[in-house]
Amino acid sequence: MLKADIKRERGIIRAGLLLGLLVLWSCSPPSADSDTDDDDSSGDADGDADGDSDGDSDGDSDGDSDGDSDSDGDGDSDSDSDSDSDGDSDSDSDSDSDSDGDSDSDSDSDSDSDSDSDGDSDSDSDSDSDSDGDIEELVFQNGLDNYSGCADTFLWMDNEDTFNADEIISVQGYHCAGCIDQRGLIRFNLSSVNGDAEIMEAVLSVFSVAQPRPGDAKIFVHRVSRDWDEGSANWFNATGGDEWDANGGDFDDTPITSFNTTDDVDVWNEVDITDTVANFVADPSTNYGVLLYMEVTMITVEYASSDHEEQSLRPKLTLRGKNLSD
């Protein structure tokens, strides 16, 4: 054989041996150095690990082998990285746990806050309750809880008759010469109310049962300025033996208040007379009741009196305040 052929054959054999070594190398388990490199590579970036492994290669063939090993190492590194990632995940989990813990803390805080808020609410409720506990309400109406202290009648212009036994209190305006003027009188006995009571509200209520002359009108409420007797009061006389200073009753010129009435019947008309009633309670000797006076008009309104057959329709006075009764 020619030398050239022999050399070629040896080269083929050498190449085959190298190829076999490469196959064996690729199938062998990674060395401790490789693990170390892998560990190092887990701490370093993948690029650095590859760079180190490339730097350690002795030749192209070894370099490829190292590259495969490094590739496995990268796999390990990726695994480590995944492990770190998992670790980070655990850390994130811990963080989430902390976050949940904070959330629980916030929840507890909110709970405490709600508890405090509820506590304040309860406190306000207690305060209202205490406040409400001091406030009383008394309703004065003949036939209600055995009360019989309401006296009422009406005065008919130029008429000596008395109308205290009627079931109505008639109120009518004087609108022309020779026409009729009718004025109502109402008084409530308040002797059962403490003289030092705090009157916060006093409402007079009268129930409209008829309107012989219907329409809209304004009715003024005046404080009566002298005593009168329900059984004997008329246009001229306050009692059986005493005349009014002025025919038609003695009352303050300035009205306490007023209210509007319409042509509706079977309705309550209510009016606030708190200050006047407070004065009556503080000084019972001035309690002469009130007078209902209609402005000039052709309207007539009839209200249920304290003698009305239906007890619930009778005039009533509702008091709200503190220390009203013992």
Side-chain angles (χ1 to χ4, degrees):
M1 299 177 67
L2 296 176
K3 285 185 177 181
D5 293 335
I6 293 172
K7 185 179 290 188
R8 186 183 303 112
E9 187 175 343
R10 287 179 178 175
I12 291 172
I13 292 171
R14 188 181 292 111
L17 291 173
L18 289 174
L19 181 60
L21 290 173
L22 286 174
V23 171
L24 290 174
W25 178 267
S26 63
C27 293
S28 64
S31 65
D33 291 337
S34 176
D35 290 339
T36 302
D37 292 339
D38 290 342
D39 291 339
D40 291 338
S41 67
S42 67
D44 298 331
D46 290 345
D48 292 342
D50 292 341
D52 292 340
S53 64
D54 292 340
D56 292 338
S57 63
D58 295 331
D60 294 340
S61 173
D62 292 341
D64 294 339
S65 174
D66 290 342
D68 293 340
S69 174
D70 288 340
S71 174
D72 294 340
D74 289 340
D76 293 342
S77 176
D78 291 341
S79 174
D80 291 341
S81 176
D82 292 341
S83 173
D84 291 340
S85 174
D86 293 340
D88 292 340
S89 174
D90 293 340
S91 175
D92 292 340
S93 174
D94 292 340
S95 176
D96 292 340
S97 174
D98 292 340
S99 175
D100 293 340
D102 293 340
S103 175
D104 292 341
S105 175
D106 293 339
S107 174
D108 293 340
S109 176
D110 293 340
S111 174
D112 292 340
S113 177
D114 292 339
S115 174
D116 292 340
S117 176
D118 292 340
D120 293 340
S121 176
D122 292 340
S123 176
D124 294 339
S125 175
D126 291 340
S127 176
D128 293 340
S129 175
D130 292 340
S131 177
D132 289 342
D134 293 335
I135 297 176
E136 301 175 66
E137 179 176 287
L138 296 178
V139 179
F140 298 94
Q141 184 181 44
N142 277 8
L144 178 66
D145 297 331
N146 298 318
Y147 180 80
S148 59
C150 178
D152 55 45
T153 187
F154 66 94
L155 311 178
W156 190 311
M157 184 178 181
D158 295 330
N159 196 320
E160 293 182 354
D161 293 339
T162 59
F163 303 95
N164 64 294
D166 281 18
E167 290 191 359
I168 63 168
I169 302 169
S170 184
V171 181
Q172 179 176 296
Y174 178 79
H175 58 88
C176 63
C179 296
I180 299 172
D181 185 2
Q182 295 173 345
R183 304 171 183 178
L185 287 172
I186 305 175
R187 179 181 60 215
F188 290 87
N189 186 329
L190 302 175
S191 60
S192 62
V193 181
N194 285 332
D196 58 353
E198 179 184 348
I199 308 299
M200 302 173 67
E201 184 179 49
V203 176
L204 171 66
S205 305
V206 287
F207 190 83
S208 172
V209 293
Q211 280 203 19
R213 293 185 178 87
D216 299 344
K218 178 173 285 188
I219 295 180
F220 295 92
V221 182
H222 295 260
R223 187 186 72 86
V224 180
S225 57
R226 65 165 297 166
D227 194 16
W228 53 275
D229 178 67
E230 179 185 27
S232 57
N234 60 31
W235 187 259
F236 304 104
N237 297 324
T239 65
D242 295 322
E243 296 181 347
W244 297 108
D245 291 340
N247 290 339
D250 299 337
F251 52 89
D252 293 346
D253 291 336
T254 302
I256 301 167
T257 185
S258 64
F259 62 93
N260 294 320
T261 182
T262 67
D263 56 4
D264 293 332
V265 295
D266 296 332
V267 295
W268 285 100
N269 290 146
E270 298 184 339
V271 63
D272 189 312
I273 55 171
T274 302
D275 291 343
T276 300
V277 170
N279 290 332
F280 290 165
V281 170
D283 186 1
S285 66
T286 63
N287 182 11
Y288 304 128
V290 296
L291 179 142
L292 305 183
Y293 178 93
M294 187 180 290
E295 64 182 1
V296 176
T297 181
M298 294 180 66
I299 307 303
T300 304
V301 183
E302 294 179 350
Y303 294 103
S305 75
S306 61
D307 295 305
H308 197 278
E309 62 179 357
E310 192 167 342
Q311 182 274 327
S312 62
L313 303 184
R314 296 169 182 172
K316 62 183 177 180
L317 181 66
T318 303
L319 303 187
R320 291 183 71 253
K322 297 182 178 181
N323 195 31
L324 297 182
S325 58
D326 292 332

